[in-house]
Amino acid sequence: MAAAIKKLRALSIVRPQRRREVRPPSAPKRVRNPQSGLAMDPQLTIYHDASGGEFAAVIEEGCRVRLVIYQFDGSYLSIAAALTQAQRKLLGPGRLFDVKLEVETTRPLTVFLRLNIQAGEDGQTLYETIVVDSGERAVSFDLDGVRLAFHKIDSLWLDVIFSEPEMTEITVREVDLKVTDRGKD
């Protein structure tokens, strides 16, 4: 029994600490019209193709990142969550890559989840689509369909792409990433 518990713990990707434990509530990080590629914390980066508009990214008490979008002239706005080398070593055939998002929005939004796997010059991308407004949403990516050498994976990241985000406030409270065996929680 102890060996089974130890194996399950080894398969889980430890989610990052919530910002409220790292940053005091009196010192939020606010960026108006952030440049694409801005790292909001060690694992979350904002990407977009907007050349203008008016929006802000904020890290504050109790959430990973909050996006306030008034005008947005780009075609995409995404948050990328990168995995470490240790986390990538847990991937393999017969495994599932589980994503749990805790997101609040001022109106329902379509969110595209894109799991990007890069092994040398070869790469593969898996897609899922969800609709979010408030609460948690969970998605699993089946890694059995991935035709790459898992031991050669250079990088792996998850893009959370928000469709038509204009005039919306998006609060991402948690991004929980975990690798599990098929048929197990």
Side-chain angles (χ1 to χ4, degrees):
M1 179 73 163
I5 292 172
K6 187 175 183 180
K7 182 178 178 183
L8 285 175
R9 285 185 182 148
L11 292 176
S12 293
I13 297 174
V14 178
R15 69 177 161 189
Q17 296 288 321
R18 288 186 180 221
R19 269 301 190 200
R20 69 173 174 235
E21 297 170 8
V22 177
R23 183 179 298 278
S26 60
K29 181 178 181 181
R30 299 175 192 271
V31 181
R32 186 172 176 203
N33 295 329
Q35 292 183 350
S36 187
L38 176 70
M40 292 301 289
D41 77 11
Q43 288 188 309
L44 291 181
T45 305
I46 294 175
Y47 291 98
H48 62 83
D49 65 348
S51 59
E54 186 175 340
F55 65 104
V58 181
I59 292 181
E60 59 184 23
E61 173 83 18
C63 72
R64 295 291 298 278
V65 66
R66 184 167 51 101
L67 303 170
V68 182
I69 303 106
Y70 296 106
Q71 295 176 341
F72 188 80
D73 65 358
S75 63
Y76 73 92
L77 172 63
S78 76
I79 297 173
L83 276 75
T84 65
Q85 178 67 27
Q87 293 167 326
R88 291 192 299 267
K89 288 182 180 180
L90 299 173
L91 301 172
R95 302 269 175 90
L96 297 173
F97 183 84
D98 298 324
V99 178
K100 184 172 69 172
L101 294 173
E102 186 179 342
V103 178
E104 295 173 9
T105 61
T106 53
R107 65 179 174 86
L109 287 178
T110 300
V111 176
F112 303 100
L113 301 174
R114 184 173 65 192
L115 182 63
N116 304 281
I117 306 168
Q118 192 69 39
E121 293 186 19
D122 296 325
Q124 193 163 349
T125 304
L126 305 175
Y127 300 92
E128 288 290 337
T129 304
I130 59 175
V131 175
V132 299
D133 51 11
S134 290
E136 291 183 0
R137 298 291 186 271
V139 172
S140 292
F141 291 94
D142 188 349
L143 299 179
D144 254 1
V146 175
R147 301 293 176 232
L148 297 172
F150 284 97
H151 67 280
K152 293 184 177 181
I153 291 178
D154 300 323
S155 60
L156 185 136
W157 68 98
L158 175 73
D159 288 320
V160 180
I161 305 166
F162 299 99
S163 177
E164 301 177 15
E166 190 168 73
M167 294 303 294
T168 307
E169 183 174 322
I170 304 166
T171 303
V172 179
R173 297 216 177 275
E174 194 62 54
V175 179
D176 187 19
L177 309 173
K178 179 171 71 166
V179 177
T180 59
D181 284 327
R182 185 183 313 287
K184 295 183 181 181
D185 291 328

